Amino acid sequence: MPIIAPSLLSANFLKLGEESQMLNESAAEWFHLDVMDGSFVPNISFGLPVIAAIRKATNKICDVHLMIEQPDRYTEDFRKAGADILTVHIEACRHLHRNVQQIKALGMKAGVALNPHTPVEMLYDVLGDIDLVCLMSVNPGFGGQQFIPGTLDKIRTLRKRIDENKLDVLIEIDGGVTLENAPEIVKAGADVLVAGNTVFRSSDPKATISLLKGF
Ligand code: DX5
Ligand code: ZN
């Protein structure tokens, strides 16, 4: 069964307390928190104070996805805000190996995200050092976009590599996950499904999370 990580980017920001409570009562294991800087991606979302507030509202895993340039500048700040998993983009890091070590040294799990144009092979030399690969299945920056079908092949390639080398790395899929495509994504080898619009635009978000969990 996949881990479900609802993305708060699609939540009602005026009701973050209630939305967090709903997720606390749901089958979702993780909160996916998307941080955007208006430079790495063409959008600005929320930052440290919001994450610190959400941290107080949940005991679930806070999975922080940094879509920011040079994320190494803020590793410690995100730890203090309460991140359990810190994911940086390979395209935003000049010294990825060092960033990964920095994240782990602070006691967080280290994730690396790949944009749709980045081949999974780019990660092979650090795959043994990280805890999670976040494969972007849309171009990052906005919720509610269409899943890019080519992601399925990337999942299969990565799954094979991880299994053959007996690595302890989770594959997370981020962007355009729906009740229709989730079964295929899980079958291809995904461990974690991020879902923004599918959960928060649903008339019954908790039931939708349970359905996703069942795939
Ligand atoms: C996109 C973000 C995603 C986004 C997913 O840049 O990284 O986490 O919130 O939203 P949906 O599931 O609506 O595509
Ligand atoms: Zn994300």
Side-chain angles (χ1 to χ4, degrees):
M1 276 202 282
I3 291 169
I4 308 302
S7 166
L8 274 287
L9 188 64
S10 302
N12 180 343
F13 287 178
L14 275 179
K15 297 187 174 172
L16 277 182
E18 286 165 48
E19 302 278 49
S20 298
Q21 189 53 33
M22 179 276 290
L23 293 182
N24 284 340
E25 292 162 7
S26 78
E29 293 91 341
W30 295 6
F31 280 35
H32 185 83
L33 302 166
D34 289 302
V35 178
M36 304 180 185
D37 68 352
S39 176
F40 181 71
V41 287
N43 195 9
I44 299 174
S45 56
F46 49 77
L48 293 158
V50 173
I51 290 176
I54 290 172
R55 169 76 289 167
K56 293 201 182 98
T58 188
N59 290 322
K60 297 203 181 193
I61 306 271
C62 285
D63 169 36
V64 178
H65 177 194
L66 297 184
M67 285 161 273
I68 66 174
E69 298 285 1
Q70 295 175 261
D72 55 298
R73 294 172 294 159
Y74 295 103
T75 313
E76 211 170 329
D77 294 324
F78 281 103
R79 179 56 179 157
K80 284 187 192 141
D84 298 299
I85 304 169
L86 197 62
T87 296
V88 296
H89 266 264
I90 191 170
E91 302 87 1
C93 294
R94 208 167 273 173
H95 300 285
L96 182 66
H97 183 270
R98 183 188 290 149
N99 293 172
V100 164
Q101 303 308 328
Q102 190 189 26
I103 293 168
K104 293 199 298 185
L106 286 163
M108 294 177 282
K109 302 264 187 208
V112 179
L114 266 57
N115 277 339
H117 72 272
T118 305
V120 291
E121 288 79 3
M122 295 281 289
L123 260 189
Y124 283 3
D125 287 352
V126 293
L127 209 47
D129 296 300
I130 65 180
D131 302 291
L132 173 125
V133 177
C134 174
L135 290 181
M136 291 307 304
S137 36
V138 298
N139 284 294
F142 304 91
Q145 303 181 75
Q146 287 263 321
F147 182 85
I148 298 171
T151 313
L152 291 169
D153 270 340
K154 292 173 82 171
I155 302 172
R156 289 184 201 106
T157 305
L158 191 58
R159 176 84 273 154
K160 195 161 169 263
R161 179 81 183 190
I162 289 170
D163 291 349
E164 278 173 2
N165 291 281
K166 299 190 173 56
L167 299 173
D168 195 10
V169 187
L170 295 173
I171 302 177
E172 175 178 68
I173 303 307
D174 188 4
V177 173
T178 63
L179 289 172
E180 289 70 38
N181 62 22
E184 209 180 354
I185 294 169
V186 172
K187 195 166 158 240
D191 302 295
V192 186
L193 301 177
V194 174
N197 269 33
T198 293
V199 166
F200 288 98
R201 298 287 170 273
S202 149
S203 56
D204 189 346
K206 277 192 258 182
T208 300
I209 290 168
S210 294
L211 284 173
L212 286 167
K213 183 84 199 150
F215 292 130

